[in-house]
Amino acid sequence: MAAAMFGVRSFFFSAVIVILFAGRYGEATAADRGYIKYKDPKVAVEERVEDLLIRMTLPEKLGQMCQIDRFNFSQVTGGVATVVPEIFTKYMIGSVLSNPYDTGKDIAKRIFQTNAMKKLSLSTRLGIPLLYAVDAVHGHNTFIDATIFPHNVGLGATRDPQLVKKIGAITAQEVRATGVAQAFAPCVAVCRDPRWGRCYESYSEDPAVVNMMTESIIDGLQGNAPYLADPKINVAGCAKHFVGDGGTINGINENNTVADNATLFGVHMPPFEIAVKKGIASIMASYSSLNGVKMHANRAMITDYLKNTLKFQGFVISDWLGIDKITPIEKSNYTYSIEASINAGIDMVMVPWAYPEYLEKLTNLVNGGYIPMSRIDDAVRRILRVKFSIGLFENSLADEKLPTTEFGSEAHREVGREAVRKSMVLLKNGKTDADKIVPLPKKVKKIVVAGRHANDMGWQCGGFSLTWQGFNGTGEDMPTNTKHGLPTGKIKGTTILEAIQKAVDPTTEVVYVEEPNQDTAKLHADAAYTIVVVGETPYAETFGDSPTLGITKPGPDTLSHTCGSGMKCLVILVTGRPLVIEPYIDMLDALAVAWLPGTEGQGVADVLFGDHPFTGTLPRTWMKHVTQLPMNVGDKNYDPLYPFGYGIKT
């Protein structure tokens, strides 16, 4: 009975609100009976935005400013996920993301779940469509069957903007195929210190390279038009992380960047200026600080410069729990963090789980006058502008009939393979000019391939692959998330070992030694040469910060038991950044960098055996030792092992 009475009171209260609202805006009353301007695709975007904005209540506006994790929508019963309606009926949430652990395999199931959420958003009073976003930083990297491209550092080595544009377009197409409308990409950071755990997300230490790739990747993701060219094959992009995250002290993630105006506006800001000119849909704030001011609370940068000076028209989004970290102790003063971030210019806040608390406190801050209504309207206006511009009001639901045959197709993987071979950088070829060993002969009696990195798809792909921190092996060993019923399975692709086996002559014996020992050289003394693959294991963000930049164990032993024992060897580094290699250089016959190549390891073999030439050049300075860091091209005391732009051509 009490519940029934509450329902009656709620209905009566809502009716009063509608009457008062309609009385204040008589134009809306007439529109509700017939023609509704914001629903007319023939009307200019700005007119549609303003027409919708005046119809919205405060809860509806604040709901648009909140992005939550997809799993909030799902209740799993008997393995079937259903949508929780109150997220829209009570909280009116405007955006959702798939977190980096949200691994997918079944496209049809994902589309069904996505459309279930979107239909609920469309069934609300104003029918404002849901914006669905996902981390897709080197392909649709959380989907098992997707094409996983090299991480950005490898793409920077290609110096091929047209290739990067194609990669952006393929990523957009595969993301769209799963019903997602936005990718949290590109990362346009200019990494100035390889000790930073996110350095592989940066195209280069040189802003000119980052600028070139930023322009191309946005064209690929969004199309050659502001916000979106084609809602069926393009996705909204998100340039990140604003601004200076690649320049933190000692490369420590989320730390402070100390930068004068020449450094800020000459190194770190240009990629964002290009992104704004290209019509990027959104920009993500950085966890880091700039000259002691947390970027999530930096009004001078977000509002005064990005919005007012650069005239950015999209919306600014926080990073995952980004506003929580404004205070020295995370979320120790959440009310202050909300007030500081929204007043600084954050438009949409990524609140994975605690959205009821966030919305309650945000409501109180607005009603108390601590956040002006003009700031709320600015935020919602920007979010709606993007939603209208990318066609969500006309094309909200995922197309269940959209062909998925191109998802992870051979054509897409061929582009990935091209990217791998063009990103390969040859640093040494022979101990003297007279004994070059690359290209390697395909037809010999026997070759040895050594090191676990040669046959581990997860290590080859790096972080942000299937999960946030990456994975080991083939993907089959990942534990199933029983709470959400996440699928597991073998990721498609070719390891470096498999690529070598396919490339050599059928008569050549390929012996794989995962972990060589002191007897390996004796056992295989008749081998023509050895290919040794070592490097780093997967990591992401702070977990990747490294003060030493050493080769991951047992890599050093693998080198000493092969190259150090007299075997003729070519070493391939699988890494997201330069590693300390100088102590081993003299024992190596040849050295190449594969970076983090993704799923298409065949591209490595393409250049090793001469089917294609080595053309890649270093996107980063290769230091002799970490005490030289930070060291970048143009510095006064520049004394690298291999300079920026170096790469032997074959």
Side-chain angles (χ1 to χ4, degrees), residues 100-101 142 198 200 462-470 539-543:
Y101 287 107
T142 58
R198 306 193 74 152
Y200 63 77
F464 288 100
S465 302
L466 296 192
T467 74
W468 177 35
Q469 294 295 323
Y539 56 82
E541 302 186 36
T542 303
F543 290 93

Side-chain angles (χ1 to χ4, degrees), residues 96 196 294 305 308 311 332-333 350 394 426 430 453-454 507 560 569 576 584 597 639:
V96 62
W196 185 37
K294 281 286 189 180
Y305 189 75
N308 295 343
K311 308 299 181 185
S332 60
N333 189 341
M350 202 181 291
E394 286 70 54
L426 185 60
H453 280 81
T507 62
S560 64
C569 69
Y584 311 100
D639 183 29

Side-chain angles (χ1 to χ4, degrees), residues 27-84:
E27 182 180 342
T29 305
D32 288 337
R33 290 198 300 266
Y35 176 75
I36 301 176
K37 182 184 286 188
Y38 77 84
K39 293 186 177 182
D40 185 351
K42 297 178 182 178
V43 174
V45 167
E46 294 304 316
E47 289 186 55
R48 299 178 76 184
V49 169
E50 295 305 319
D51 182 67
L52 176 52
L53 191 64
I54 65 169
R55 301 169 186 269
M56 297 175 70
T57 64
L58 180 60
E60 287 169 332
K61 290 178 180 180
L62 301 189
Q64 290 298 305
M65 297 173 65
C66 186
Q67 183 180 76
I68 69 175
D69 190 281
R70 181 179 77 89
F71 287 139
N72 288 287
F73 291 84
S74 300
Q75 293 176 332
V76 179
T77 304
V80 178
T82 58
V83 177
V84 180

Side-chain angles (χ1 to χ4, degrees), residues 76 79 479-487:
V76 179
T480 300
N481 186 319
T482 54
K483 179 180 178 182
H484 301 298
L486 297 184

Side-chain angles (χ1 to χ4, degrees), residues 444-448 504-511 524 526:
V444 294
K445 178 183 178 182
K446 182 169 79 172
I447 64 174
V448 173
V504 298
D505 189 87
T507 62
T508 298
E509 181 186 5
V510 178
V511 177
H524 303 290
D526 58 338

